[in-house]
Amino acid sequence: KGNAEFEEPFLLWAARRTEWDVSMHDHDVLSIKPSINWAVGPWPKRFQQAPKGGLYYFKLPNEVEITLSGVDYMSAVIKMAPQQGQSGYCGNFNGVAEDEFAPPAPGSVPPVLVPAWNTAVGEGLEQVHDADNLFKLASPELALSAALVQQASALRVGHQEDPMMASPCKDAHALDEAEQACASIPDADLRAACMADFCLTEKASVVDDAALSGVMEERLSDGRVPLFVGHGPCRDIGGQALRAVRTKGVRIAMECQELLREVGAAIAGVVGAQLKTEGTCELVVRPGTDVHDLLDFAPSGGGWVDADLGGGVGDPQGGLGGASFVAGVENDLSWNCWRLD
């Protein structure tokens, strides 16, 4: 019950709300014309009223969005651009409904249900492979753990059984080194992620990153909490950029969130943070915030871009415009954006 958010970086951002949120949910969902009218009332009411099962919103790569309402059984809206090979209920965008689904057999359902009681037809409707089935892969971490365990067994008996589950560790020696380097990480999922990062980068610093992730998880209920908004630079409710103040050397997502939590607890004008791949962490502030207050904090890696915070970020009392809070992102998977909640 209540509100909640979840993220799997570069794969999924999800939120649960008890009622419709005009700053988050897609207004176009409410204008859809249903095939039949249900006893619970008009289509928009299935989302606008507080459904007993809650409202769920999922953002996936390539601008795929899913909105779910638990008003009775479930109403779901999938919003996405046309995909190659798309067919069935999602349509193939040729304007002919007859080649997307077939009606039920005559007399098999009450007449009122006929418009909505049909079977998808078209190409590419075979069963989803287990390796791509998100319902069977409970989380990428569990899948990664399985890959590492399988590779450990395969390498030590001299063969690799399943290429679909290939681990990032190139050989048994690399796997042993990763196990030793990450042995101090108590959480199994974080330890598996640490091993994968170690094999991919061959850098010992990933162990510290994994440890910091564990510390962040323990602090989630402590004060203002950084919440993942989406992949892209932070934007206000009107889609405009807010002022951002850049650090010199904070390049890790968990350190960026920790900095946001620490500085945001002391300075009310700090409302979010954003981090570009291979870039440095930027704190997002509302208009009118005196960014010189940030000089009381010394981020790792050399502090702020300029000692006087004047390095191309606007005057100390001004900014680039925008509202006073982070409402969304400009879609770009090379960026992460967080807001304080």
Side-chain angles (χ1 to χ4, degrees):
K1 295 182 178 181
N3 296 339
E5 296 185 16
F6 171 81
E7 68 165 309
E8 189 61 54
F10 301 103
L11 178 65
L12 168 71
W13 180 80
R16 183 190 189 279
R17 295 290 185 266
T18 57
E19 58 186 7
W20 187 263
D21 186 337
V22 296
S23 67
M24 180 176 70
H25 294 114
D26 186 354
H27 183 73
D28 289 343
V29 169
L30 305 179
S31 62
I32 293 175
K33 295 182 179 180
S35 299
I36 61 176
N37 292 320
W38 299 90
V40 294
W43 172 263
K45 296 297 183 183
R46 301 175 71 82
F47 296 87
Q48 287 181 311
Q49 294 179 340
K52 62 181 180 181
L55 281 167
Y56 296 85
Y57 180 56
F58 302 88
K59 292 186 69 175
L60 298 157
N62 300 322
E63 300 185 18
V64 176
E65 299 179 8
I66 303 173
T67 305
L68 301 176
S69 170
V71 66
D72 46 16
Y73 295 103
M74 183 177 70
S75 294
V77 175
I78 302 174
K79 181 179 180 180
M80 60 188 292
Q83 304 290 312
Q84 184 176 4
Q86 186 170 311
S87 62
Y89 291 125
C90 291
N92 53 22
F93 293 87
N94 66 354
V96 181
E98 288 73 19
D99 66 359
E100 293 163 359
F101 54 84
S108 61
V109 297
V112 69
L113 294 179
V114 168
W117 206 277
N118 42 53
T119 303
V121 298
E123 301 292 332
L125 298 180
E126 61 274 4
Q127 184 175 351
V128 176
H129 192 282
D130 285 353
D132 298 321
N133 192 328
L134 296 181
F135 292 97
K136 292 186 178 181
L137 295 178
S139 73
E141 289 86 358
L142 292 179
L144 177 60
S145 298
L148 289 167
V149 170
Q150 180 170 337
Q151 192 200 29
S153 175
L155 288 172
R156 284 162 185 160
V157 297
H159 67 279
Q160 179 84 35
E161 294 181 354
D162 186 357
M164 292 297 293
M165 296 295 288
S167 165
C169 298
K170 60 184 179 182
D171 53 35
H173 177 69
L175 183 64
D176 287 338
E177 287 189 336
E179 288 178 340
Q180 295 175 15
C182 300
S184 61
I185 306 299
D187 181 86
D189 289 342
L190 286 176
R191 187 165 60 253
C194 173
M195 291 170 62
D197 287 345
F198 187 91
C199 285
L200 288 171
T201 66
E202 299 182 351
K203 293 181 179 179
S205 60
V206 300
V207 180
D208 293 334
D209 298 343
L212 182 58
S213 297
V215 172
M216 281 294 297
E217 289 181 355
E218 294 177 358
R219 293 182 176 180
L220 284 178
S221 60
D222 181 17
R224 300 174 70 193
V225 179
L227 296 178
F228 182 67
V229 178
H231 292 298
C234 301
R235 294 294 183 259
D236 67 12
I237 195 170
Q240 300 298 309
L242 294 97
R243 185 178 182 187
V245 182
R246 185 156 51 98
T247 63
K248 287 185 177 180
V250 178
R251 300 180 180 275
I252 300 171
M254 299 309 298
E255 290 184 357
C256 188
Q257 294 176 69
E258 176 68 7
L259 179 65
L260 171 60
R261 189 193 68 82
E262 178 185 2
V263 179
I267 303 175
V270 174
V271 294
Q274 56 193 27
L275 176 64
K276 183 177 176 62
T277 302
E278 299 183 353
T280 58
C281 179
E282 302 175 9
L283 293 189
V284 177
V285 300
R286 61 166 58 106
T289 300
D290 188 345
V291 295
H292 286 109
D293 292 340
L294 298 177
L295 293 175
D296 293 334
F297 299 86
S300 61
W304 308 97
V305 169
D306 278 351
D308 62 356
L309 300 178
V313 294
D315 64 88
Q317 299 295 334
L320 301 179
S324 60
F325 63 94
V326 175
V329 298
E330 179 181 339
N331 289 326
D332 183 343
L333 288 177
S334 67
W335 285 83
N336 285 338
C337 170
W338 301 271
R339 68 165 178 257
L340 282 177
D341 196 22

